[in-house]
Amino acid sequence: MPLLDGESLIRAHLDANPDGHRAALHDPEYAATAHRLRTVLDRLGHALAAEGVTDEDLAARVGARLVTDLLGTDEANARMAARAQAVKGLYEQGLVRMPMPADLLGSP
């Protein structure tokens, strides 16, 4: 019997993060990430049990941390979106420019 239930850990995370829940339903990449993570958590649970780990609370904390780290929280994702928008604004204002391959090679 595995120590971790990936489905319940991800469900609890998505219940606490409504934007993430919406993304899991409508964003194929996010949904695929959540599915892969569930598989990893299930395998981790089996591996922990096979290694003799018996502390279910410890396993659940590790699993919940993996879910948060890999899927992010609504708050963290909003900060990342705001940063991306700020950087985009810098590009649009011409304050920052993306180097072109010729720029990286230097002048002949």
Side-chain angles (χ1 to χ4, degrees):
M1 185 72 174
L3 289 174
L4 292 174
D5 179 11
E7 180 72 29
S8 65
L9 286 170
I10 291 173
R11 188 175 308 276
H13 177 79
L14 295 178
D15 287 346
N17 295 280
D19 290 340
H21 189 256
R22 211 171 2 271
L25 295 173
H26 301 291
D27 180 356
E29 186 176 339
Y30 192 93
T33 299
H35 176 73
R36 283 190 301 271
L37 179 56
R38 187 188 73 210
T39 303
V40 167
L41 290 170
D42 290 343
R43 289 183 181 174
L44 177 61
H46 284 289
L48 289 172
E51 291 295 322
V53 174
T54 59
D55 188 346
E56 290 183 18
D57 291 335
L58 173 65
R61 287 193 311 271
V62 168
R65 184 172 188 139
L66 282 173
V67 171
T68 300
D69 288 350
L70 295 176
L71 294 182
T73 61
D74 287 351
E75 181 182 327
N77 293 336
R79 279 195 312 268
M80 288 177 61
R83 287 182 190 145
Q85 193 62 29
V87 169
K88 183 179 176 185
L90 293 174
Y91 280 111
E92 290 171 350
Q93 295 172 24
L95 299 173
V96 176
R97 78 177 187 91
M98 178 67 76
M100 300 306 287
D103 297 335
L104 297 175
L105 295 175
S107 57

